[in-house]
Amino acid sequence: MNSETQQHHLRVEVADWMTAHLSGEFACLQYRGGPGDEEAYPALRKKWERELASGGWTGLGWPKEQGGRAMSVADQVIFHEEYARAGGPGRMGHIGEGLLGPTLIACGTEDQRKRFLPGILKGTQFWCQGYSEPGAGSDLANVRTRAVRDENGNWRVHGQKVWTSLAHDSDWIFVIARTDAESRGNRGLSFLLMLLDQPGIEIRPIKQLNGGAEFNEVFFDGALAAAEDLVGTPGDGWRIAMTLLGFERGMSTLGQQMQFIRELEWVVDAAHEAGVANDPLIRQRIARAWSGLRVMRYNALRMLAGADADEGGGALGREALIYKYYWSNWHRELGQLAMDVLGPDANVIDRADAKRTRLQGVFLFSRADTIYAGTNEIQLNIMAERGLGMPREPRGTQ
Ligand SMILES: Cc1cc2nc3c(=O)[nH]c(=O)nc-3n(C[C@H](O)[C@H](O)[C@H](O)COP(=O)(O)OP(=O)(O)OC[C@H]3O[C@@H](n4cnc5c(N)ncnc54)[C@H](O)[C@@H]3O)c2cc1C
């Protein structure tokens, strides 16, 4: 079978599987979940993860010896496109499967891989990311959470994380903590895996402006991280943390674009319904949004092909530098366009009007897109320094 035929078969197989399985009790999950809608059916979406796993649709890019399917980038793209086209729900297992799993494969011990990868693959163990702190966001190296060894050689963690997405729905958290009390900046940090349900950890939800509470503050007061749950060596945490971030721009971005296509369709429908489809400025902005989507798609394919050649090791090319900046600003503009199309109605909340509510949701959540996974200003700094070779800005703490 040539690769085009094989890819066509895969596309049909995924589409058929989604039709057959995103039905019955899972039907209500269609188009639900994901950023801005994480509070939709969390328990059922976890069950859906197990459904995906039993169909063999987790760990697609992971090596076979780690329980994955070692699929090519092209095949993974097909899966994510068909998943999104069918309205597959936002993935509860994304942080484990997309971020921690590949990091443990790259940097973990055999024992860590044995203990953690199966639960991630089977959709029975959920993870969250404990990086940001009140004084360490863009300047992540300023982490103050500290871990000290106890008499048994384990680590006791003290401090606070913030903006921890889905901590309240997770089983485990990976944490960057300072294990060398004398150190500054990105030295002396370690990467720890911690069970969330234990004495010494308190999770407090943060209420968002869209009414939800998808992320949390997480407080550590002497909580335990077992000696064998430190990834790499003490002091090597920055390298591990950066390896993980290299996986953040991964494959699922293509599925995200299918969601963007759908949102643009909602905006076009709303323009017709609001009688502004003939407004020349609105039409131009819609056309610009459409062309932006095409640019995004081809840039993502270029970026992922580069990552494939690098076997996902995190050394993404220049395309990756512009990618996050491009999609997040595109999405924020789409949210603004949606509000302009709705006109004065955009200012009124009416939960009975599902179409209006979903566009308001796009607007509100898209404001966060240019903050998480690197703010606009940080992305521009990175492009200037790494892409264009301009002088590094002064770093106070490194
Ligand atoms: C929806 C959402 C989900 C998140 N989920 C998680 C999560 O699960 N786990 C986690 O650890 N974190 C999470 N975060 C936190 C996110 O990583 C941080 O918000 C982000 O890194 C920015 O840090 P900060 O909020 O501390 O802002 P700051 O770093 O304080 O930045 C404030 C402003 O200053 C600007 N600025 C900062 N430094 C510079 C500079 N050197 N040059 C120019 N301008 C600068 C920034 O661009 C920004 O405009 C999430 C955030 C959001 C919005």
Side-chain angles (χ1 to χ4, degrees):
M1 211 184 325
N2 69 28
S3 70
E4 218 169 289
T5 317
Q6 179 265 328
Q7 289 183 353
H8 173 71
H9 279 271
L10 177 64
R11 204 174 272 289
V12 172
E13 184 190 350
V14 178
D16 286 350
W17 191 90
M18 289 297 288
T19 309
H21 292 259
L22 194 54
S23 59
E25 65 171 326
F26 296 121
C28 61
L29 296 185
Q30 210 182 15
Y31 302 118
R32 298 305 306 271
D37 192 29
E38 295 290 13
E39 285 170 301
Y41 308 103
L44 189 60
R45 277 163 58 219
K46 285 184 181 176
K47 193 168 176 193
W48 169 251
E49 293 288 322
R50 297 195 283 281
E51 186 77 6
L52 277 177
S54 62
W57 299 116
T58 55
L60 302 185
W62 291 19
K64 286 198 172 141
E65 55 277 21
Q66 306 297 347
R69 291 181 61 174
M71 273 189 179
S72 67
V73 164
D75 285 356
Q76 291 178 69
V77 166
I78 288 172
F79 171 79
H80 286 289
E81 287 186 342
E82 290 310 313
Y83 183 87
R85 200 189 310 276
R91 297 285 310 277
M92 294 290 283
H94 163 68
I95 294 179
E97 190 189 337
L99 302 183
L100 183 72
T103 305
L104 289 182
I105 291 170
C107 311
T109 60
E110 200 45 46
D111 167 64
Q112 286 165 346
R113 291 195 273 264
K114 274 208 184 93
R115 284 188 297 124
F116 296 114
L117 298 186
I120 294 173
L121 279 177
K122 283 190 225 141
T124 53
Q125 190 187 77
F126 295 91
W127 285 83
C128 63
Q129 178 177 23
Y131 277 21
S132 304
E133 299 184 5
S138 303
D139 187 10
L140 185 58
N142 198 32
V143 157
R144 297 234 170 98
T145 294
R146 59 197 170 84
V148 283
R149 269 196 212 272
D150 66 13
E151 62 284 5
N152 301 317
N154 295 318
W155 300 93
R156 293 286 164 182
V157 179
H158 302 264
Q160 182 199 341
K161 296 293 172 179
V162 70
W163 315 124
T164 320
S165 301
L166 293 175
H168 55 295
D169 275 318
S170 301
D171 308 298
W172 286 77
I173 182 169
F174 48 87
V175 166
I176 318 177
R178 198 162 290 284
T179 42
D180 175 356
E182 305 301 314
S183 66
R184 295 188 63 190
N186 61 17
R187 298 193 185 88
L189 299 172
S190 297
F191 191 100
L192 299 164
L193 311 176
M194 300 180 71
L195 195 58
L196 278 164
D197 185 12
Q198 61 158 307
I201 292 192
E202 188 189 343
I203 300 171
R204 293 188 202 156
I206 300 174
K207 197 84 172 161
Q208 296 160 212
L209 66 85
N210 63 359
E214 297 178 0
F215 40 38
N216 306 269
E217 295 176 292
V218 182
F219 294 88
F220 301 85
D221 184 11
L224 173 78
E228 61 272 22
D229 290 342
L230 185 145
V231 182
T233 52
D236 195 24
W238 187 255
R239 183 181 67 85
I240 315 282
M242 293 302 113
T243 301
L244 183 138
L245 290 184
F247 295 114
E248 199 163 41
R249 298 185 189 87
M251 203 55 58
S252 59
T253 54
L254 280 157
Q256 178 193 41
Q257 288 180 35
M258 296 299 292
Q259 179 201 325
F260 291 169
I261 291 172
R262 201 159 52 235
E263 289 173 359
L264 179 57
E265 286 165 0
W266 295 345
V267 172
V268 172
D269 288 348
H272 285 294
E273 283 171 26
V276 294
N278 286 328
D279 178 323
L281 290 179
I282 294 286
R283 290 156 61 95
Q284 283 173 17
R285 286 168 68 190
I286 288 174
R288 202 162 57 227
W290 183 84
S291 29
L293 271 175
R294 306 306 296 165
V295 171
M296 215 184 297
R297 181 166 201 277
Y298 290 114
N299 195 53
L301 291 173
R302 258 189 336 158
M303 174 181 86
L304 293 170
D308 203 20
D310 183 52
E311 292 179 338
L316 296 168
R318 281 171 169 227
E319 300 80 15
L321 295 181
I322 58 173
Y323 187 67
K324 199 284 160 162
Y325 182 80
Y326 193 86
W327 75 252
S328 57
N329 286 282
W330 179 92
H331 199 219
R332 203 169 66 170
E333 277 171 32
L334 183 76
Q336 186 60 57
L337 173 59
M339 296 300 93
D340 294 342
V341 162
L342 286 176
D345 285 356
N347 295 317
V348 181
I349 292 177
D350 176 5
R351 298 273 179 227
D353 186 339
K355 287 185 181 174
R356 188 195 306 174
T357 304
R358 69 191 184 186
L359 287 180
Q360 288 168 326
V362 172
F363 170 72
L364 290 174
F365 196 82
S366 67
R367 313 307 291 180
D369 289 334
T370 52
I371 300 174
Y372 69 87
T375 67
N376 261 354
E377 291 73 21
I378 295 301
Q379 298 301 326
L380 290 171
N381 277 347
I382 293 173
M383 279 185 246
E385 293 176 14
R386 291 191 214 153
L388 304 174
M390 294 176 77
R392 275 168 64 100
E393 67 162 353
R395 271 137 174 102
T397 53
Q398 290 176 45

